[in-house]
Amino acid sequence: MAVKRLATETNTIVVATIHQPAWETFVLFDNLLLLAQGQVVYNGPTVTIDEYLTSLGHPTPRHGNPADHAMALVNTEFYSSNAADGGPSAVEHLDQLVARWNEHSKAESRNQRPSSWAKGSIEEEKRRPLGQ
């Protein structure tokens, strides 16, 4: 991918917004920041979104696109709760996803800090080329 090569060569961060990407396009990105109503629902490697959603009890359907599945999960316009069974409302559903991400990210930050932090050099981590 020319953009990734250029970003690596110039030590530049690239931020892109894409709408309904095909899986082949989606996996070309290193990281995903998934927002729902301005709140972080996922922020991590693109290739692990399916694993993360599975850990929440929302696995991607067989032969499904994890990008589409993630978008459907956070889209409240078409969310239908099973209120008769005490299911969460759309707002409660998003609140649960945000809370789970917050728990996950706090656990990750306690257990897996970049090795450069241990050395006391955050600047090293900032200079590291994309994708490494």
Side-chain angles (χ1 to χ4, degrees), residues 18-31:
I18 55 176
H19 181 68
Q20 292 184 302
W23 180 248
E24 294 80 9
T25 302
F26 186 68
V27 296
L28 293 174
F29 290 86
D30 294 324
N31 293 297

Side-chain angles (χ1 to χ4, degrees), residues 49-97:
I49 185 64
D50 188 42
E51 179 183 326
Y52 176 71
L53 295 177
T54 298
S55 76
L56 298 181
H58 299 285
T60 301
R62 186 172 185 199
H63 305 296
N65 177 343
D68 288 340
H69 180 60
M71 291 302 298
L73 192 61
V74 301
N75 183 347
T76 58
E77 288 183 38
F78 305 108
Y79 179 80
S80 61
S81 69
N82 194 348
D85 292 337
S89 68
V91 171
E92 292 168 332
H93 170 72
L94 280 184
D95 287 346
Q96 289 171 0
L97 291 174

